[in-house]
Amino acid sequence: MSLFIDLLPLIVLLLVVFALLRLFAFLRRDRRPVLLIDGSNVMHWCDGTPSLTPVQEVVRVVAAAGFRPGVIFDANVGYKLVGRYRDDRHMARALGLPEDQVLVVPKGEPADRTLLAAARDMGARIVTNDRYRDWAESHPEIATPGQLIRGGWREGAVWLDMPPG
């Protein structure tokens, strides 16, 4: 019994530390609504040549509008941009985003399927000029006005046809 009493202050301290860590994690959690970006589509917006510039600008505009951007790329994004494979970590660093907000799909897996499934699961809209006609039957939500946000590159800047909220 005396050992328990001796350890009681340490146990209480550990419980308090644990509670504070959970509170800080909760407060830091990003509660902005997610808006997904079809990175493999958006990277061609400047002049049809693959570039991260339009993706970086869409990330900036989306974040400034109060959304948490998530970017999904086809597996070949690195080859198109720099001539070699690039994973989530590399692409996240290039975009200035945390790694958990960027996904490069595995080789052989259609990015469209992953993007549409993620949007459905998160209740998120998608920035893209793709109409996903091949996926319309399995993802009828893409026909909902505002679900797919069109955009482009004009006079050195990105524009988005983004309705509020």
Side-chain angles (χ1 to χ4, degrees):
M1 185 68 161
S2 80
L3 180 62
F4 175 76
I5 293 174
D6 291 342
L7 291 177
L8 190 57
L10 179 61
I11 293 169
V12 170
L13 177 64
L14 288 174
L15 289 173
V16 169
V17 168
F18 178 74
L20 286 173
L21 288 174
R22 286 190 55 188
L23 176 63
F24 290 140
F26 175 78
L27 292 174
R28 283 189 309 230
R29 196 170 301 146
D30 194 338
R31 293 177 168 232
R32 297 175 294 168
V34 174
L35 204 152
L36 296 176
I37 300 165
D38 182 344
S40 294
N41 179 273
V42 172
M43 74 181 191
H44 290 92
W45 282 6
C46 278
D47 59 7
T49 304
S51 168
L52 272 186
T53 301
V55 182
Q56 291 165 328
E57 281 301 299
V58 169
V59 165
R60 185 187 62 73
V61 168
V62 162
F67 293 92
R68 180 176 185 216
V71 186
I72 298 179
F73 290 102
D74 290 306
N76 65 354
V77 64
Y79 292 103
K80 288 187 171 191
L81 292 170
V82 296
R84 64 180 178 258
Y85 178 75
R86 289 291 178 225
D87 62 12
D88 306 345
R89 183 175 52 86
H90 289 102
M91 298 308 297
R93 189 177 313 135
L95 294 171
L97 288 173
E99 192 174 333
D100 68 350
Q101 288 179 236
V102 178
L103 174 66
V104 177
V105 299
K107 181 180 177 183
E109 182 178 326
D112 290 353
R113 176 176 34 208
T114 303
L115 179 62
L116 292 168
R120 177 184 283 168
D121 291 348
M122 292 186 233
R125 295 182 288 163
I126 303 169
V127 175
T128 186
N129 284 338
D130 194 335
R131 300 294 96 194
Y132 303 109
R133 288 180 184 94
D134 295 342
W135 301 95
E137 189 174 314
S138 59
H139 292 274
E141 67 274 10
I142 63 175
T144 304
Q147 179 63 25
L148 302 178
I149 300 169
R150 297 182 66 98
W153 192 261
R154 185 183 309 132
E155 299 175 9
V158 73
W159 62 269
L160 296 175
D161 186 16
M162 191 162 62

